[in-house]
Structure formats: C-alpha cells, structure tokens
Amino acid sequence: MNPQAQEIWTAPRWALAALLALLGMLGPFSIDTYIPAFSGIAQALDASPAAMQQTLSAYLFGFAFMNLIHGALADSFGRRPVVLWGIAVFTLASAGCALSQNIAQLVFFRLLQGLSTGAGIVVSRAVVRDMFPADQAQKVMSQITIYFGVAPAVAPIVGGWLLVHLGWHSIFWFLVLVGVLLWSANYKLLPETLHPTHRQPFNLRNLLRGYWQLGANPRFLLLALASGIPFNGMFLYVLSAPAFLGEHLHLAPTEFFWFFLLSIGGIMAGSFASGRLAGKIEPQQQIRWGFAVMVTISVINVIANFLFEPRASWALLPIAVFAFGWALMVPVVTLLVLDLYPQRRGMASSLQACVGSAANGVVAGAIAPLVMHSTQALALSSLLMMSVGLVAWVFLRRMWPETGRGAIA
C-alpha cells in the first residue's frame, strides 16, 4: 500500500471505485456493444460466422498477450501513463474498426483493441491495493464490480439501437467517443498511486525473474485458474449470444439486453454481497459459498436443458445465478493473488488477467463455435469450465490449507 494514500486521494472512496470501474469496463464494453451487430456486420462485409467469431478471438488473444506487459510497465513507469497510453491506442483502434472495408481489416483492428484495453482492468486492480488496506480493498473491489456491471448491461442496448438506426459503423464511432471521454476523465482525475520506492527496474532480466517467480509458483497458478476459468462458464453464453439468443430463444437483436441485464444484475448482486461480507467471514468461506452457488445452478441448468425446450422465460435465469456466485467469490480470490507478491502487484494482476483472457480466447475461437448451436452442449460446457476452477481451488486448499483463513494479508 502506498504510504501517502490518504494524501493522493481525498475524495470519497466510492468516487475512486467508479473511476476504476470505468477503466475496467472498457474491455467488456467493446465486446458487448457490437455483439448484436454480428449478423449485420457479417452481411455487410460478406463474412462467414466463423470469420466473425475470429473478431472476438483476435481481440481476446490480443488482450491476453498484452496483459503480460501492462502490469510490468505499470510496476516500472507508474499506473497513470500506462492507462493513458492504453486508452489512446484503443480509441485509434476503434476508429480503424469503423473504417474497415473487409473482415481482415476488422480482425486486425479488433486485435489492436485487445492489445490496448487490458491496461484498464490490470492497472485498476493494482491501484486498489496501492490505495487501500485489505478489508477496505475487498469492499472497493466489490464496488468496482458493481459499477462495472452497469456498462455491459447498457452496451447491447446501445449497440442494438445504433445498428438499427445508424448502421454497424456507428457502433465503433461510439466506442471512439467513449475512448475520448475516458481518456479525458483519467487525465484530469486519476492520480499516480505507485510510490517511487515501489517501482521495479524495467529491464529484461528483472522482468524474466518476475515472470518466473510468479509463473513457477503453483499457488499463484491455482488461484489464477480458480478466479479466471469459472468466468467462462458465463462468458461462453456472451460469446454465443447471437446463436443462443437469436436462434434458440428467438429474441431480436434489440431484445438481447434482457440477457445482459439479468447476467449483470447477478454480477452486481454478488459483488454487493461480497462487499457486505468483507471482514465478517473468512475469505475461504466466501469462496466456498461462491462455488457452491455455481455448482448447484450449473447442474440444474444442464438437467433443465435436457428435459425442456429452451425458453427465454427460464433459460436466462441460471446464467444470472451463476454470475452471482462468480461475483461473490472473485473479489476475494483476486486480492489473494495480488497479495502473494506485494512488490509486483501489477505483474501479478497481469498474469492473472492473462490466464483468464487466454481461456476466453480459446473459448471464443474454438469452444463457442463448436457448442453454440446446442443449448445442451452450452450447458455442459459451462459446467465443465466452472469445474476447472473448482478443482483448482480444492487442490489449492489441500496443498495450502491456510489459504483464505483469517483476514487477507
């Protein structure tokens, strides 16, 4: 924690949480806004569904790769410059997407978007731990997730409206506007939270030593798997939204917002509960409750999809409950990750995000195209991905039973 934290930020805690949430929402917002326009873009650019899916996987793989660098840069040069440069590149890439004349150009600029947006979510996590002690950090992390949840709920509504009234290009021009406004807000408001004594030397030897220190630590890797992989149990449905919502549930693009509204509502409710539980129960208990919710609803979802014809009236609810369970436990696991190496919190946040993003990319590029045309396959795949995180957590607790006991360090 920065010893001058009280002097750096004197405004209310919720205001900093809101600013950091805006940073973290940039990545999901750039996905959810254009998903309703999938079929329209494919028709305009004469692209196949598989080619359109690559606009997602390119973004996600770019996001995962650059996450390895964002945290190291933030540990060496400070949080603020990494954020400002990241938003600037995202804004230019969004303009490139709007001007794309074919699917290859769109994939390239989506890749560039992915390479830049990771700065927001990686650095925002590190800033939280720079500025707040453990119990307050969990509350702020939960607040960030609550605020963060508003954007993906609004994004498909905005994207669907823009598609219908102004065409698909307007969606990316809208993201340009978002980038400009977000850059201006962070330029004026975001302080530098990394204390000079905490900066790491930026050289290849130091970077490799840091990556090896974290990457060779099985405790770190298991925590990263426990937090990052279960998210894909829900994100799979986001990636498959055009098929799941349009083909299976027969919803129009302008009605996709019901799915996002319920899912993000689950995330916001889980995050609120996580913040309320901070300091009242042991972290391991809260994580256990989160996994219990996800396991139960995943099994119910599989059974329901094999017994009943999918309907919007019930098929969206299990995803929302799953989102609640994930949001209940993920702020705690994230803080456990960041506190393993206090002097390399930026790098730890990078690698944690990289694990999750790489999984997102695999799901987007390989798994979603295979299972999106069957609701039974979607439900089973969601259960399996959640199970990867559960197994990682159970194995971690067996090897290091003290993990998550007492207050977060």
Side-chain angles (χ1 to χ4, degrees):
M1 179 177 172
N2 191 319
Q4 298 175 328
Q6 298 293 334
E7 303 170 14
I8 293 174
W9 186 268
T10 57
R13 184 179 64 193
W14 64 265
L16 180 58
L19 182 63
L20 297 177
L22 290 174
L23 279 177
M25 70 85 184
L26 188 61
F29 202 81
S30 64
I31 294 176
D32 297 339
T33 307
Y34 95 120
I35 280 182
F38 248 49
S39 58
I41 296 174
Q43 184 176 2
L45 298 182
D46 193 24
S48 67
M52 281 302 301
Q53 201 69 25
Q54 296 312 308
T55 66
L56 273 175
S57 57
Y59 171 92
L60 293 169
F61 278 119
F63 184 91
F65 171 77
M66 197 59 190
N67 274 341
L68 294 172
I69 311 299
H70 284 139
L73 292 172
D75 284 341
S76 299
F77 300 108
R79 317 304 191 197
R80 181 179 160 87
V82 175
V83 166
L84 294 178
W85 275 105
I87 298 173
V89 174
F90 168 82
T91 304
L92 293 174
S94 298
C97 290
L99 296 171
S100 295
Q101 300 298 309
N102 54 60
I103 191 64
Q105 292 176 4
L106 183 60
V107 169
F108 171 78
F109 285 112
R110 287 289 292 169
L111 173 64
L112 194 58
Q113 278 187 322
L115 291 170
S116 58
T117 52
I121 192 168
V122 167
V123 176
S124 63
R125 290 173 179 173
V127 169
V128 170
R129 212 53 184 96
D130 288 342
M131 297 295 291
F132 301 102
D135 57 338
Q136 293 185 34
Q138 183 180 338
K139 294 179 181 178
V140 173
M141 198 76 75
S142 299
Q143 289 175 347
I144 288 175
T145 309
I146 292 175
Y147 298 135
F148 161 86
V150 174
V154 174
I157 303 175
V158 174
W161 188 91
L162 289 172
L163 172 67
V164 171
H165 296 282
L166 298 174
W168 70 268
H169 296 87
S170 65
I171 294 174
F172 293 105
W173 286 122
F174 174 75
L175 291 178
V176 171
L177 176 62
V178 170
V180 170
L181 295 176
L182 193 57
W183 189 94
S184 300
N186 280 274
Y187 180 79
K188 293 178 180 179
L189 301 175
L190 183 67
E192 179 52 66
T193 62
L194 181 66
H195 195 270
T197 60
H198 297 165
R199 295 187 181 231
Q200 298 290 319
F202 189 76
N203 57 66
L204 183 60
R205 182 177 181 182
N206 181 63
L207 290 178
L208 292 177
R209 183 167 62 247
Y211 287 130
W212 176 258
Q213 186 181 30
L214 273 66
N217 186 333
R219 191 172 183 177
F220 172 86
L221 293 176
L222 289 170
L223 281 170
L225 289 173
S227 64
I229 306 303
F231 173 74
N232 284 281
M234 171 183 58
F235 194 51
L236 173 65
Y237 283 94
V238 176
L239 296 170
S240 305
F244 176 63
L245 301 177
E247 297 176 16
H248 301 305
L249 302 187
H250 309 293
L251 297 177
T254 53
E255 296 176 311
F256 282 16
F257 78 94
W258 287 112
F259 164 68
F260 292 96
L261 190 65
L262 288 171
S263 300
I264 301 306
I267 291 178
M268 294 174 70
S271 302
F272 177 79
S274 178
R276 298 288 292 178
L277 291 172
K280 296 180 181 179
I281 65 172
E282 287 191 328
Q284 67 170 241
Q285 182 65 37
Q286 189 169 325
I287 296 170
R288 187 180 301 120
W289 287 356
F291 273 114
V293 171
M294 288 188 288
V295 169
T296 302
I297 197 62
S298 294
V299 172
I300 291 174
N301 189 37
V302 170
I303 294 173
N305 275 281
F306 274 93
L307 292 181
F308 306 107
E309 183 179 353
R311 301 286 185 188
S313 58
W314 66 264
L316 302 180
L317 293 178
I319 307 168
V321 177
F322 186 101
F324 173 88
W326 176 80
L328 181 64
M329 66 90 177
V330 79
V332 183
V333 181
T334 298
L335 290 174
L336 291 175
V337 169
L338 295 178
D339 286 347
L340 279 178
Y341 296 97
Q343 296 303 316
R344 293 187 182 273
R345 287 197 173 107
M347 184 175 287
S349 181
S350 280
L351 286 177
Q352 181 193 23
C354 181
V355 171
S357 300
N360 295 347
V362 171
V363 172
I367 298 177
L370 291 177
V371 302
M372 66 170 57
H373 299 296
S374 165
T375 58
Q376 293 94 340
L378 281 168
L380 282 170
S381 300
S382 176
L383 172 62
L384 289 173
M385 282 182 281
M386 183 280 305
S387 299
V388 172
L390 176 61
V391 170
W393 173 249
V394 171
F395 192 63
L396 174 72
R397 290 282 293 116
R398 289 185 180 275
M399 293 182 64
W400 294 278
E402 72 279 5
T403 300
R405 285 183 177 171
I408 298 175

